[in-house]
Amino acid sequence: MAGAEPTGTAAERWRAVVQDPQLRAAVDRVVPADDWPAGWAGGVGDYLAEGGTEQEWALAGLERLVAVLAGQDFAAAPPAEQDRVLSDLGGRPGPDADLAGLLRLCWEGYYATRRSAADRADDPGWPAGLAMVGFRDLPEGVTPVEAPLPPATPAARLRAHYDAVVVGSGPGGAVAAQTLARAGRSVLVVERARPLSNAGLRGDHLHGKRNAVYRSVAGPGPQHPRLAVQEDDGGGLAERLVDGDGDAWAYGLNAYAYGGGTRLWQGMAWRFFPEDFAMASTYGNPAGATLADWPLGYDELEPYYSRAEQELGVAGEEGALTARTPRSLGYPMPAMGTEPARELLAGAAGRLGWTTGAIPLAINSVPAAGRPACVRCSSCVGHACPVDAKNGAHNTFLPRALATGNTEVVLDAEVIAVHDGPAGASVEVMTGCSGEPVLRTVRADVVVVAAGAVESARLLLASGLGNDHLGRHLHDHRFVSLRGEVDQPVKNGLGPGHSVATLDHVHAGTIPWGGGVLVDLMSVLPLTSATDPGEGVPRWGAGHKRWMREGRPHAFGVFGMGQEVPSETSAVTLAGVLDRWGRPGARLRKSVHPASREVEAGMAALGTRWLEAAGARGVRQQRGGATASAAGEHSCGTARMSDDPATGATDRFGRLWGAHRVVVCDSSLHPTNGSVNPTLTIVANALRVAERLVDDWPR
């Protein structure tokens, strides 16, 4: 009876509500039948029938919604009356929230691929919404190729001593492993991620790295708590406990996989500008900020940039985007081919007097290194490459390190403490993390910490190492997304993603504090479009479905990424919450300095001009996501380099001040983060740091 408290287990209640004819009728008005199936037959019914614990968040709301609909005999009403009933629910605080939950489930079931539909993976028309909008995960005729994972060393066979233990297999750690192994040093790389295949890291629109609406397959999993502390709209502080099996955006977007973030990135491979290495000298230091110059300049890093491009494998072209970053070598591969979005924005830039170019990408534009060229799939960013054309630590530096015979890799293992001393170092490693964990102690001449800006700082702080600068100066980038509508569709859903850029507003005076790069906004997945279609699009019903089919192709935008000025109060410290090993989690305080807001506003204004010059209508800034988490995927600065321990956490070669045998080798070292993606700089700096370590081995 309506209003009675539901009884039974959650699974029993879920089955009951899913079988209720009122729910099916509501789903078929949210996604009504036309030339394409209605929601229930088009995938939502199967999705709800498969529903498990992940969807339990919606159970109580669906039960309330069904009870309300039953009271009006919704299932028996004509379609127009059903639409009126659902419309009346909108705007009423309780019912509207329940309706919003139903809408979300409908979009997930009708417009998203998912692991539970693996038995229909050969059907490009499932669920129906994907076929309706013309989405294909892979171009026709392309067969995925599974890249093998490395032969991981069983935990029981770990040695008692290695010359070096490298914590993390991302770009910094992988470069260190390759450099040390080639110099004849024995190396153990410890990676806490499970041994996930490329197939397990792609094609799932509900659990991917960037688009996860549920637990990300690239997340660390449960019992890795963090306290995220951010400023609310009123200027106060809001503290939120997040875990590694929850909201990936709130937790932080760094990928936990063999190869780190480069396993799932799009591959934008930029050099920092000369001014990026001297931000404090160039712009001064506004009150409340902690801008600092690097202890080295562009000229010192340039040879390593050239090596990084060659060894990683970057496709690019010399021209407008390289004019202010002098180079000793050209790119090893030509730039990716053009597309309509590049032509449209290049023409608009020309009318504005701006210059543009093809974005440099660490992706094979032609067959290279025994691997094929990019097939331009529709799920590049945040997903593993289906043909292994995307270049990263996993298929470049780490295989070369293993090929020396001097490197071992242990997966599903986590370093929980680092011990340092003049006579030697050691790490405590928890092996077999996803099964029966066993704690082991491994000794080393040196420990290279490359777990990312958050986890490197957390590990070293929890180990009692470092000075007062360790963990401070946490910052990322500022991001702006602008969207409008164009007459002719220019983003056809093919990858790899961003295609064209202008660097005319980087250190050019048009945007304060160093400005930022402007690029085309990549195509988004159908689920993202359905969930956030933009202003003027009906929330649900025939109009929403028609927009997905006819209006969505005309949506187009520009994305800005710019300098984030580090703040005095932004830092990684130790939280009072403990992880599954009894070690303190990270407390992330992220403050946005007013100077960073100026960068954001400048990018928004110029991005709007660019889109309008391209003929876009209704240009608007998308809100939210600019600082969606306290630790973004470009986080840096928590172990920044300095020639003086009074101003940094490490020396210019990554050696932790106050320690004998600990070297940091990741984005933590960056005093500032430039206005472009930092990965190529991580690689170049890691080559420099690791070479110095070989030459100045601790004795």
Side-chain angles (χ1 to χ4, degrees):
M1 120 180 185
E5 283 295 322
T7 59
T9 66
E12 291 169 341
R13 291 167 55 200
W14 184 265
R15 284 194 297 271
V17 77
V18 168
Q19 292 169 4
D20 195 298
Q22 309 296 338
L23 181 64
R24 176 168 184 163
V27 167
D28 284 346
R29 293 319 301 159
V30 171
V31 187
D34 46 24
D35 291 340
W36 294 89
W40 195 269
V44 181
D46 284 354
Y47 178 58
L48 295 179
E50 298 160 359
T53 56
E54 282 189 329
Q55 289 81 21
E56 281 186 11
W57 62 268
L59 177 55
L62 290 182
E63 289 172 331
R64 289 191 297 268
L65 185 63
V66 163
V68 170
L69 298 179
Q72 303 187 50
D73 201 12
F74 182 87
E81 176 64 14
Q82 290 177 334
D83 288 351
R84 185 196 64 76
V85 170
L86 292 180
S87 296
D88 286 348
L89 296 177
R92 296 165 55 192
D96 188 62
D98 296 338
L99 176 63
L102 174 65
L103 298 183
R104 173 178 157 182
L105 292 173
C106 287
W107 309 149
E108 291 171 6
Y110 202 77
Y111 293 111
T113 63
R114 50 193 185 271
R115 285 179 303 204
S116 58
D119 58 334
R120 303 185 72 150
D122 59 344
D123 181 357
W126 187 257
L130 297 184
M132 185 187 78
V133 302
F135 178 89
R136 291 186 66 98
D137 192 39
L138 288 174
E140 192 169 357
V142 173
T143 301
V145 176
E146 185 55 51
L149 288 172
T153 299
R157 287 174 46 196
L158 291 179
R159 305 184 211 168
H161 178 274
Y162 295 83
D163 293 334
V165 171
V166 177
V167 183
S169 67
V175 166
Q178 172 189 288
T179 305
L180 299 182
R182 284 180 167 177
R185 301 292 181 178
S186 62
V187 180
L188 174 66
V189 178
V190 182
E191 171 55 58
R192 76 177 182 179
R194 295 173 292 122
L196 293 171
S197 66
N198 274 8
L201 287 168
R202 62 172 299 274
D204 186 338
H205 297 176
L206 300 179
H207 301 87
K209 172 183 173 248
R210 274 178 163 266
N211 53 282
V213 293
Y214 297 106
R215 173 180 174 179
S216 170
V217 293
Q223 297 180 290
H224 289 92
R226 289 177 174 176
L227 282 178
V229 184
Q230 293 178 271
E231 296 173 355
D232 58 27
D233 293 339
L237 294 181
E239 185 170 273
R240 178 182 177 189
L241 178 64
V242 294
D243 206 347
D245 63 343
D247 184 342
W249 285 87
Y251 190 84
L253 283 175
N254 299 105
Y256 294 85
Y258 176 70
T262 57
R263 187 90 173 274
L264 305 175
W265 66 330
Q266 184 206 346
M268 287 199 283
W270 306 93
R271 297 183 178 199
F272 284 4
F273 277 50
E275 295 93 333
D276 292 325
F277 298 89
M279 286 292 291
S281 296
T282 303
Y283 296 102
N285 219 343
T290 59
L291 280 174
D293 292 350
W294 288 51
L296 65 147
Y298 177 86
D299 290 345
E300 184 176 339
L301 199 59
E302 195 286 326
Y304 297 101
Y305 269 134
S306 289
R307 281 182 53 193
E309 289 164 348
Q310 301 297 317
E311 293 191 32
L312 180 60
V314 177
E317 62 184 19
E318 295 189 56
L321 301 188
T322 63
R324 289 185 285 157
T325 50
R327 49 198 307 114
S328 54
L329 288 175
Y331 287 109
M333 289 182 285
M336 293 289 295
T338 191
E339 61 176 67
R342 189 185 302 177
E343 301 304 316
L344 179 67
L345 284 178
R351 291 189 288 275
L352 292 170
W354 301 355
T355 62
T356 62
I359 294 172
L361 299 169
I363 298 176
N364 287 353
S365 60
V366 295
R371 293 179 283 107
C374 172
V375 296
R376 310 199 78 159
C377 74
S378 296
S379 301
C380 183
V381 183
H383 296 259
C385 181
V387 297
D388 204 25
K390 183 157 51 179
N391 301 322
H394 62 293
N395 57 11
T396 58
F397 303 110
L398 287 168
R400 295 175 199 142
L402 289 163
T404 66
N406 295 327
T407 300
E408 297 177 22
V409 174
V410 59
L411 301 174
D412 194 27
E414 184 174 351
V415 172
I416 64 171
V418 176
H419 303 292
D420 171 74
S426 66
V427 295
E428 295 177 34
V429 185
M430 195 68 74
T431 62
C433 295
S434 61
E436 294 294 331
V438 177
L439 180 63
R440 300 177 184 277
T441 299
V442 178
R443 293 180 288 107
D445 293 348
V446 66
V447 176
V448 178
V449 180
V454 173
E455 292 301 313
S456 287
R458 180 182 81 104
L459 173 61
L460 293 171
L461 288 168
S463 300
L465 299 174
N467 64 14
D468 288 343
H469 283 276
L470 181 63
R472 293 177 56 198
H473 319 297
L474 173 68
H475 64 292
D476 187 2
H477 279 123
R478 300 311 299 166
F479 302 103
V480 170
S481 292
L482 304 154
R483 189 164 67 175
E485 288 76 41
V486 292
D487 290 334
Q488 296 298 320
V490 291
K491 276 293 183 182
N492 55 10
L494 296 184
H498 306 297
S499 175
V500 61
T502 179
L503 293 174
D504 284 17
H505 306 292
V506 175
H507 299 296
T510 52
I511 302 174
W513 307 105
V517 60
L518 298 175
V519 305
D520 57 322
L521 191 62
M522 62 188 178
S523 297
V524 297
L525 296 176
L527 174 61
T528 304
S529 298
T531 303
D532 182 21
E535 297 175 8
V537 179
R539 289 180 66 193
W540 53 273
H544 182 280
K545 190 177 183 184
R546 185 168 51 252
W547 181 86
M548 286 291 295
R549 186 169 58 246
E550 301 172 4
R552 178 177 179 269
H554 296 270
F556 182 55
V558 161
F559 178 77
M561 175 168 50
Q563 300 273 354
E564 182 163 78
V565 175
S567 168
E568 289 179 347
T569 54
S570 293
V572 175
T573 55
L574 298 180
V577 294
L578 302 180
D579 67 11
R580 56 181 171 171
W581 315 126
R583 308 291 287 179
R587 182 180 187 272
L588 309 176
R589 167 76 185 276
K590 182 66 177 294
S591 301
V592 181
H593 193 277
S596 298
R597 301 285 190 198
E598 294 179 39
V599 174
E600 193 174 328
M603 292 190 298
L606 289 168
T608 299
R609 282 187 61 196
W610 198 11
L611 275 176
E612 290 177 344
R617 304 176 305 279
V619 177
R620 56 201 175 276
Q621 182 175 348
Q622 293 179 271
R623 297 295 174 183
T627 309
S629 69
E633 57 190 333
H634 298 171
S635 291
C636 70
T638 54
R640 74 179 186 187
M641 298 179 291
S642 174
D643 286 332
D644 186 342
T647 55
T650 66
D651 72 9
R652 62 170 42 223
F653 296 106
R655 292 180 183 269
L656 191 68
W657 288 117
H660 302 274
R661 297 172 178 270
V662 178
V663 173
V664 180
C665 195
D666 59 19
S667 64
S668 308
L669 297 177
H670 297 184
T672 51
N673 212 23
S675 59
V676 292
N677 304 66
T679 301
L680 190 72
T681 302
I682 295 172
V683 171
N685 194 46
L687 287 167
R688 184 187 68 89
V689 166
E691 279 193 353
R692 176 64 176 214
L693 179 57
V694 169
D695 294 340
D696 191 18
W697 196 258
R699 306 189 186 282

